[in-house]
Amino acid sequence: MNLNELRDKAYQCAVKHGWHEEEYSNEHFLCLVISELMEAVEADRKGKHANRVNFEYYMKQRKRDDEEFMYAFKHGIKDSVEDELADACIRLLDLAGLRGYDLDSFDYEGSDTEDYSDMTFTESMFRICVYVTDNFYRDELYILLNEIFAFCRDRNIDIFWHIKQKMKYNELRPYKHGDKSY
């Protein structure tokens, strides 16, 4: 997966939808990442997981238009654990685009990550949040993405598939998603 391409796509979508009309600090954007991780916790508490099988079955029945994609996304993926983790990644990708970080220069496969297999879902999200709040600097963004990727690998979540679907969904949403201020 070319992370710089994902970075550029996430950033361009955010610009197009008005999310960079005002300047905000890294802390602003990182707080929004934390909010996505907490939404993932809430989705987990409710047992809400994406139904990829049904989503793909519906989408493959015939050529679907954008409205049908939105329908399928809202009913099979939206607000699930996987969707919220994709949102956290997209927010980090957007921040990387805003700040001009080269994401493909980091060795994701060769770097150390936490062992999430022995942690509960909430412990895992807490651990990732610690990375968010622990003296953020440029390299930390790579580490944050890497930790989310590692968690998803451990839980057999195809995060790149979910990022792709969420990016398409976001592209089809109205300016500032209709009524949000940030």
Side-chain angles (χ1 to χ4, degrees):
M1 181 62 61
N2 184 322
L3 291 178
N4 284 336
E5 285 180 20
L6 283 177
R7 173 204 64 201
D8 294 345
K9 190 173 181 178
Y11 176 67
Q12 290 164 3
C13 183
V15 168
K16 179 182 168 189
H17 286 85
W19 300 119
H20 292 298
E21 291 175 348
E22 296 180 42
E23 279 194 40
Y24 291 107
S25 65
N26 286 347
E27 290 80 6
H28 169 88
F29 293 105
L30 293 170
C31 187
L32 296 175
V33 171
I34 291 171
S35 75
E36 300 298 350
L37 296 172
M38 293 305 97
E39 287 176 4
V41 170
E42 285 303 309
D44 184 65
R45 290 179 70 203
K46 296 175 182 175
K48 188 155 170 60
H49 290 274
N51 192 333
R52 181 175 175 174
V53 172
N54 284 358
F55 175 84
E56 288 181 327
Y57 177 79
Y58 175 82
M59 293 304 294
K60 289 179 182 178
Q61 291 301 303
R62 62 181 172 80
K63 185 168 172 49
R64 301 287 183 178
D65 62 22
D66 290 343
E67 189 174 306
E68 291 170 311
F69 171 84
M70 295 291 280
Y71 173 85
F73 188 91
K74 286 177 184 175
H75 289 88
I77 299 172
K78 183 92 172 89
D79 300 326
S80 65
V81 167
E82 298 83 356
D83 181 44
E84 302 303 348
L85 291 171
D87 278 340
C89 291
I90 291 167
R91 289 196 179 277
L92 289 168
L93 292 165
D94 173 42
L95 178 57
L98 177 67
R99 301 295 185 235
Y101 297 164
D102 178 7
L103 297 179
D104 287 332
S105 65
F106 185 76
D107 180 12
Y108 293 91
E109 295 300 319
S111 67
D112 289 333
T113 59
E114 294 286 339
D115 180 6
Y116 293 102
S117 61
D118 292 332
M119 293 183 206
T120 66
F121 189 91
T122 53
E123 290 167 339
S124 298
M125 293 301 103
F126 175 80
R127 190 73 203 126
I128 293 169
C129 285
V130 167
Y131 282 104
V132 175
T133 60
D134 190 22
N135 299 318
F136 177 82
Y137 56 96
R138 171 184 273 217
D139 290 337
E140 193 74 18
L141 191 135
Y142 306 113
I143 294 166
L144 288 171
L145 278 170
N146 200 38
E147 291 300 322
I148 296 171
F149 297 161
F151 172 80
C152 290
R153 274 191 309 272
D154 183 68
R155 298 299 201 276
N156 295 314
I157 296 170
D158 184 353
I159 192 61
F160 294 107
W161 184 88
H162 286 282
I163 290 170
K164 180 181 174 187
Q165 303 312 312
K166 186 58 178 253
M167 284 184 159
K168 180 175 180 178
Y169 177 79
N170 286 344
E171 289 169 3
L172 297 171
R173 295 176 84 177
Y175 182 81
K176 289 200 172 182
H177 301 175
D179 64 353
K180 293 184 179 177
S181 60
Y182 62 87

